[in-house]
Amino acid sequence: MDVIRWKNICPGGKQALICFSISALIFTISFFSGSVLGFSSELWALTYWGPALYFCLFNFVLRYCFKGFTYEVSVRSAFLGAVFSLGLYLTTLDNGWKVFGLYTMILSFFHFSEFMAVALTNPRTLTTDSFVLNHSMQYGIAAVSSWIEWAVEYYFFPSMKAYFFISVIGVVMCITGEVVRKAAMFTARTNFNHTVQFVKRPDHHLVTHGVYSICRHPSYVGWFYWSIGTQITLLNPVCIIVYALASWTFFRERVYAEELTLLTFFGPQYVVYQKQVGTGLPYITGYIPENTGQRVKDDHWSY
């Protein structure tokens, strides 16, 4: 992997990194001020009301200084930085809040890192959608459902959220999923896109080296296990099952559609690749050309 130099980062990526870092620093100082200086009525307000006021002020400054795309990137990055610091603070509380804090940090970093990975590998496709914050209505419903399950179980059965060692397993799954997904993005670089491509670009080529030599769809594999890991982190037994089934169904359909396109793009070259490398996703084989006369082993290119 090439060494990442500041001067080689696109303007959008630089703006995002600066705003995320400043926001995370400001809010971390605010949240932990009471722990360092001791609690008083003034510091209580600083800890619990200050962050909301700071974000409004921060947003005002960003709105005044930047316009258009730069502002949209700035405010999203600042928001994710604030959420990350909130998660860090929650990890200092009791078990139930601790696991939610870990989840919050994982979620905010995932969305920020998605944008930064695109900024570093394929900046010409960089948009505010690269944060994947507005992925789909189903994604939003799934996230809110997991929060509701955590809240209900924590309120009525707080002991369910006390198995921190299990939560750590989820954190490890999330970190591993992140690494696999980002490795796919940095390996594919300009061949990677958050949406399935139906028109082959002149510079689009089949990527089969690096992490793609292990599984055909490493970005999907990473996200699949990351999504399940978030629910293990939250100790949400219901959502663990629901997320696993929903993610598996989504990626089965996504892989099928994507491989149909890739076979159109690369023909026999992709058929050979299918036979040599599996998708990496359990019991998902992808699109199987009818003329091969055999089932193709289980991933590759986009997302």
Side-chain angles (χ1 to χ4, degrees):
M1 184 183 298
D2 296 334
V3 176
I4 299 174
R5 301 181 184 278
W6 178 254
K7 65 179 181 180
N8 295 330
I9 303 176
C10 70
K14 291 179 180 178
Q15 188 70 16
L17 189 58
I18 290 173
C19 289
F20 180 91
S21 301
I22 292 176
S23 177
L25 177 61
I26 291 174
F27 285 93
T28 298
I29 292 173
S30 177
F31 283 126
F32 286 92
S33 58
S35 301
V36 176
L37 301 176
F39 283 98
S40 66
S41 58
E42 292 80 6
L43 285 175
W44 187 93
L46 177 65
T47 301
Y48 294 103
W49 290 104
L53 297 176
Y54 292 153
F55 190 77
C56 291
L57 178 61
F58 201 10
N59 183 46
F60 176 79
V61 172
L62 292 175
R63 173 67 77 175
Y64 179 80
C65 296
F66 306 108
K67 305 296 180 183
F69 176 71
T70 304
Y71 168 73
E72 296 296 333
V73 168
S74 299
V75 73
R76 286 167 173 76
S77 300
F79 171 73
L80 292 172
V83 172
F84 185 87
S85 64
L86 172 62
L88 182 63
Y89 173 72
L90 292 178
T91 61
T92 65
L93 305 181
D94 65 36
N95 286 333
W97 284 107
K98 181 178 294 185
V99 299
F100 195 82
L102 289 172
Y103 164 83
T104 302
M105 294 172 67
I106 289 168
L107 187 66
S108 62
F109 183 77
F110 170 78
H111 287 287
F112 176 70
S113 66
E114 284 291 294
F115 183 88
M116 286 304 302
V118 176
L120 292 170
T121 61
N122 196 8
R124 68 181 179 185
T125 66
L126 191 67
T127 68
T128 54
D129 289 339
S130 300
F131 284 104
V132 202
L133 287 167
N134 57 339
H135 178 268
S136 65
M137 181 181 295
Q138 292 84 350
Y139 181 78
I141 292 174
V144 173
S145 298
S146 71
W147 306 341
I148 293 174
E149 181 185 350
W150 171 86
V152 170
E153 292 171 351
Y154 178 58
Y155 184 81
F156 290 103
F157 312 102
S159 61
M160 289 182 62
K161 306 302 179 183
Y163 298 96
F164 190 67
F165 69 95
I166 297 178
S167 186
V168 170
I169 296 175
V171 173
V172 172
M173 285 183 64
C174 290
I175 293 174
T176 303
E178 273 273 22
V179 170
V180 172
R181 181 169 171 80
K182 296 312 182 285
M185 296 175 74
F186 277 89
T187 301
R189 302 190 73 82
T190 57
N191 293 283
F192 178 92
N193 200 293
H194 275 122
T195 57
V196 175
Q197 303 297 290
F198 296 102
V199 178
K200 186 176 184 293
R201 300 188 313 272
D203 63 340
H204 185 196
H205 63 276
L206 181 62
V207 179
T208 59
H209 65 281
V211 69
Y212 287 94
S213 65
I214 301 173
C215 56
R216 298 203 303 274
H217 298 269
S219 61
Y220 293 158
V221 171
W223 199 345
F224 176 75
Y225 288 106
W226 175 88
S227 66
I228 299 173
T230 61
Q231 299 313 298
I232 296 177
T233 300
L234 281 174
L235 301 173
N236 282 349
V238 175
C239 278
I240 289 173
I241 298 172
V242 173
Y243 267 56
L245 293 175
S247 297
W248 186 87
T249 301
F250 172 79
F251 287 124
R252 180 188 60 177
E253 296 175 354
R254 186 64 177 253
V255 167
Y256 185 92
E258 184 174 299
E259 294 206 330
L260 180 59
T261 302
L262 290 170
L263 284 163
T264 302
F265 288 175
F266 302 108
Q269 184 183 5
Y270 194 75
V271 173
V272 172
Y273 179 52
Q274 281 183 312
K275 294 178 180 179
Q276 295 175 340
V277 181
T279 64
L281 293 162
Y283 302 104
I284 295 179
T285 58
Y287 179 79
I288 304 171
E290 295 180 359
N291 62 354
T292 59
Q294 59 181 343
R295 290 184 63 83
V296 182
K297 293 175 62 178
D298 294 321
D299 189 61
H300 158 72
W301 168 67
S302 149
Y303 221 168

